[in-house]
Amino acid sequence: MPLLVQKYGGTSVGTIKRIEAVADKVIGYKNQGNDMVVVVSAMSGETNRLVSLAQDIDSQAKGRELDVLLTTGEQVTIALLAMAFEKRGYPARSYTGGQVRIVTDSAHNKARIKSIDDENIKRDLDAGRIVVVAGFQGIDEDSNITTLGRGGSDTTGVALAAALKADECQIFTDVDGVYTTDPRVEPDARRLNTITFEEMLEMASLGSKVLQTRAVEFAQKYQVPLRVLSSFESGEGTLITTEYEADDIMEQALISGIAFNRDEAQLTINGVADTPGVAYQILGPISDANIEVDMILQNIGADGTTDFTFTVHRNDFDTALASLQKAAGSLEAREVSGNNKIVKISIVGVGMRSHAGIASRMFEVLAKEGINILMISTSEIKISVVVDEKYLELGVRALHEGFDLKQES
Ligand code: ADP
Ligand code: ASP
Ligand code: MG
């Protein structure tokens, strides 16, 4: 019997009515002869509500107890959805991550899945039950509850699909697939029939929250057929593929999509000595504080000094600035400054490999709109620029138009 793992996100289970609609939808697939494993998120807004409760007690709340708190959101939805199945005469059983035994490492708030025990699920499927699993959570070797990072239910879905060798992992959400860019910013964005894993991985890690980055990594590694679809309308959605289907129009495209990230902040230390070890002295304490650095830029000044600029997640801005100010003394720096009102816009596409001049076209489009570029970084299939946050919408839309990604008329 074919096996489908379906994941329904927060908006899709946001009310009792919607949970009931999900139950009906899943039953439709079950009646077509599929075994069904359903992964659900917390009801929309619930995880944020729980985070803010924690922050009312400790503005820096993190670690073990935050995970105990946040996982309750998903526990509510699995129970409600399983009840909806039972009420409709379909035997079902709900599981928290720990009950399945989704074992993770112990990195609270951003744990990685190490193994999944499929015994309980397989037994239930063999008994004809629909299995409902809480997304976003697991337990470590010592049975501490862990979470997989925001958006982590996608990864639960993919990991279960890999462990159970499902025929497809279907991510149901509030859009009907992966678009050329976030349709909330560019209403003319176009749904892609297919996108390669490589591109999807770049899009996700550069800020497209439609799929969690780790879910894409996992699916690529374990060759899980992965599709993004709408919970609310029917359609084929977007299939994430290893290669473009030969007749797919996107084969011709220079770039496939535009991603952006609003969670950026930039720090600069000016006038430090241009000698070996300086980068380490600046970034060592940042990494010791567990802060991830994204882009790094170093300018060489004429007077033997150098300016050093880098970006971090906006949540880490204050800590990074304090660390830099501390380092500034021993480095005899001229000045330390920071800007947490910046964003990163990236264009992504495997077509870049075979076409020159894409970067200059990107810069031309932004220049025409009077958008100043603060930093640039490139890799084989992406170009990212950092710009003032007030230019986010304008920049994304101009690039969407400039690279001809609009809806076909
Ligand atoms: P869920 O709660 O179902 O996990 P998310 O909010 O995490 O849903 O992800 C879906 C959202 O991702 C969409 O509503 C859309 O605004 C956003 N998004 C960002 N980039 C894209 C893109 N390229 N294609 C489709 N949606 C995107
Ligand atoms: N509920 C979690 C979050 O909001 C996990 C998820 O929805 O994927 O981040
Ligand atoms: Mg999500």
Side-chain angles (χ1 to χ4, degrees), residues 282-298:
I282 295 169
L283 294 179
I286 302 281
S287 129
D288 291 344
N290 228 341
I291 296 174
E292 233 172 274
V293 171
D294 181 13
M295 289 189 194
I296 303 173
L297 187 79
Q298 190 180 351

Side-chain angles (χ1 to χ4, degrees), residues 7 9-10 173-175 177-179 181-184 203 208-210:
K7 176 258 172 177
T173 183
D174 55 6
V175 277
V178 178
Y179 277 67
T181 192
D182 190 339
R184 284 179 215 237
M203 290 280 281
S208 297
K209 295 195 171 96
V210 62

Side-chain angles (χ1 to χ4, degrees), residues 67-215:
D67 281 349
V68 173
L69 178 69
L70 296 192
T71 49
T72 63
E74 271 71 11
Q75 192 167 337
V76 170
T77 30
I78 54 168
L80 292 172
L81 182 59
M83 283 176 202
F85 287 130
E86 295 272 347
K87 173 84 182 156
R88 285 161 174 71
Y90 286 79
R93 190 164 279 182
S94 70
Y95 290 93
T96 64
Q99 286 175 319
V100 173
R101 279 199 72 78
I102 296 179
V103 179
T104 69
D105 61 19
S106 301
H108 284 290
N109 316 151
K110 50 174 184 220
R112 278 180 184 271
I113 296 175
K114 287 166 68 178
S115 66
I116 293 183
D117 183 348
D118 59 11
E119 206 177 307
N120 287 333
I121 297 180
K122 281 197 165 146
R123 197 190 47 231
D124 283 333
L125 291 175
D126 288 345
R129 297 191 185 102
I130 298 173
V131 176
V132 185
V133 179
F136 173 58
Q137 54 181 267
I139 46 166
D140 71 3
E141 306 277 6
D142 300 320
S143 297
N144 294 298
I145 294 175
T146 54
T147 61
L148 309 178
R150 296 304 303 267
S153 298
D154 297 336
T155 302
T156 306
V158 172
L160 278 171
L164 297 163
K165 301 194 175 49
D167 291 272
E168 194 163 275
C169 179
Q170 303 177 332
I171 306 287
F172 285 90
T173 183
D174 55 6
V175 277
D176 64 346
V178 178
Y179 277 67
T180 45
T181 192
D182 190 339
R184 284 179 215 237
V185 167
E186 172 52 277
D188 283 337
R190 184 163 48 85
R191 183 179 61 80
L192 301 167
N193 287 324
T194 61
I195 182 169
T196 65
F197 274 110
E198 209 182 357
E199 288 168 321
M200 193 61 239
L201 199 56
E202 288 284 6
M203 290 280 281
S205 63
L206 293 166
S208 297
K209 295 195 171 96
V210 62
L211 282 175
Q212 200 198 31
T213 308
R214 279 188 192 167

